[in-house]
Amino acid sequence: MTKPTADLVALDAARHKGQGGERPIAPIARPDDAETRIAGAVREILEALGEDPDREGLFETPGRVARMYLDVLGGLHEDPRDHLHKQFLADQHEGAVIVRDIGFHSMCEHHLLPFFGKAHVAYLPEGGRLTGLSKIARTVNVLARRPQLQERLTDQIAASIIEVLEPKAVMVLVEAEHMCMAMRGIRNVGSRTVTTVVRGTWQRDAALRAEIMSLLKG
Ligand SMILES: Nc1nc2c(ncn2[C@@H]2O[C@H](COP(=O)(O)OP(=O)(O)OP(=O)(O)O)[C@@H](O)[C@H]2O)c(=O)[nH]1
Ligand SMILES: [Zn+2]
């Protein structure tokens, strides 16, 4: 079978090189002593703040925070593309598949503070090649549970789908609120950031692109 989207995969690989440093989609290994090391570092932070990490309320905090980080950043050690291998064929379906309102929580890699919101994903299947709807949400979830940039999260959702499903087109829209803008720094509560990516045939057809984009926005 020919690879109609090979050029798109290459384009994505090139884009990721220049974007916020290289952080490929592939998972990385988790060191065996990760929990102990994170707990030790959290204890250091508490001490550096002048706190007593042995007082009753903080005694178990380093371990808790370590387990929390391993959970909320656990997507580093999973491959988001794995989920997309569960595929079905539906030759008669020629239209787009749109999954809206996929809630996610991520961590901004600049401050390690949460950003969270919704991802909306559309793809145009090639040859009726579909994946399970939940698998798109699982893919978003793995990529979100990493130190991320919203732009990279958006790109990597599209790149994962392109690589595994080889669709004719993909569009992803992510809207999120960043705690690093709300809790600190500019302290701007309530502003939302929207990022989009369009790949494949929808890049070339402005009318169709606008139609899919309006469906994505809901
Ligand atoms: N493009 C992009 N920027 C982000 C994201 N998450 C956080 N940032 C921004 O990363 C920037 C880091 O800027 P720096 O000047 O290095 O850090 P800072 O002094 O803490 O910046 P302020 O937030 O302006 O106080 C800030 O402008 C953040 O708003 C993201 O997902 N995408
Ligand atoms: Zn930030």
Side-chain angles (χ1 to χ4, degrees), residues 34-48 62-63 65-66 69:
E35 188 172 330
T36 320
R37 281 164 62 188
I38 299 169
V42 173
R43 195 182 157 87
E44 289 268 342
I45 292 172
L46 290 169
E47 281 174 353
V65 176
Y69 272 124

Side-chain angles (χ1 to χ4, degrees), residues 108-111 115 148-152 178 180-181 184-186 193 195:
C108 106
E109 69 180 16
H110 294 146
H111 300 93
F115 69 94
Q148 273 292 14
L149 287 174
Q150 186 174 327
E151 292 90 333
R152 189 198 296 125
H178 289 245
C180 67
M181 280 180 71
R184 53 153 301 285
I186 191 157
T193 302
T195 44

